[in-house]
Amino acid sequence: PADIRALMAVRLAGIADEDRELLDVAAVQGHAFDAGLVAAVLEEKRVLVLRRLAVLERRTGMVRAQGGRYVFDQRQLQETIRSEAAARLATLDQLRHADRLKTVGRLAAGLAHELGTPLNVVSGRASLIASGKLPPDEVRSSANTIKLEADRITGIVRQLLDFARRRTPQRTQVP
């Protein structure tokens, strides 16, 4: 009965509350159920329950009449669950991909900012040196600044590589 209830839960999305209750009561009985017993539990007339079951049979294919009883159509339920599960997995994959793209975008923006500033300093100082208008002590100062900014860029790249190489912890069985 628990398996039938789990299978059935997926299909209940578009079904009215009173029909959900009917199917839930029926599922407690197992794969095959008696409409009269369901009617008694729900305190409804058997004929009304039979009409509702007939409508559910036509609309959803979840139940079908068989030998004076009703049975849950396991094949139909399982096919529906498989297709709905596949659709959910595809949606989850799309969400994960979008999240990865968002993360890569943030990383690229951060990298552009972190590397852009020191590169602008390097470019400016190199232009000053290349102009030939700086006295020797300022050329040396500019070269030191270029070296410091290059080291800063190297540090940023190293941190990024260290982050990228981090591995997730893996469980191992201890003897």
Side-chain angles (χ1 to χ4, degrees):
D3 291 340
I4 293 169
R5 293 176 90 177
L7 291 171
M8 206 176 65
V10 175
R11 285 297 301 255
L12 293 178
I15 296 175
D17 288 341
E18 59 271 4
D19 289 336
R20 285 180 188 214
E21 182 182 22
L22 183 150
L23 291 171
D24 197 35
V25 168
V28 170
Q29 294 183 45
H31 175 68
F33 60 93
D34 181 85
L37 184 57
V38 171
V41 171
L42 294 175
E43 297 177 356
E44 290 186 21
K45 292 185 178 183
R46 185 174 190 275
V47 69
L48 294 177
V49 169
L50 286 171
R51 281 187 199 146
R52 287 170 53 197
L53 285 168
V55 169
L56 284 169
E57 182 177 12
R58 282 192 310 272
R59 272 193 7 228
T60 68
M62 289 176 57
V63 294
R64 59 186 161 80
Q66 180 179 341
R69 295 181 63 124
Y70 273 85
V71 294
F72 285 98
D73 189 346
Q74 298 280 17
R75 186 181 47 78
Q76 174 69 27
L77 288 170
Q78 288 171 344
E79 286 175 16
T80 301
I81 289 170
R82 275 190 211 104
S83 67
E84 289 177 6
R88 280 194 194 113
L89 288 174
T91 301
L92 281 174
D93 283 344
Q94 289 173 347
L95 288 173
R96 285 187 192 116
H97 182 69
D99 192 45
R100 281 192 294 266
L101 288 176
K102 185 172 97 174
T103 301
V104 168
R106 271 194 254 137
L107 178 63
L111 253 166
H113 175 73
E114 288 294 320
L115 295 178
T117 302
L119 286 173
N120 284 333
V121 171
V122 167
S123 177
R125 294 296 179 126
S127 293
L128 286 173
I129 292 171
S131 73
K133 298 179 182 175
L134 291 178
D137 60 323
E138 285 189 35
V139 169
R140 192 176 301 106
S141 174
S142 288
N144 284 335
T145 300
I146 289 172
K147 171 74 171 112
L148 287 173
E149 294 302 320
D151 290 344
R152 180 175 166 200
I153 291 169
T154 301
I156 292 168
V157 170
R158 187 173 297 122
Q159 287 175 350
L160 181 62
L161 289 173
D162 288 344
F163 177 78
R165 288 184 188 132
R166 283 188 193 151
R167 294 203 173 127
T168 57
Q170 294 182 2
R171 293 182 181 202
T172 56
Q173 194 172 27
V174 178

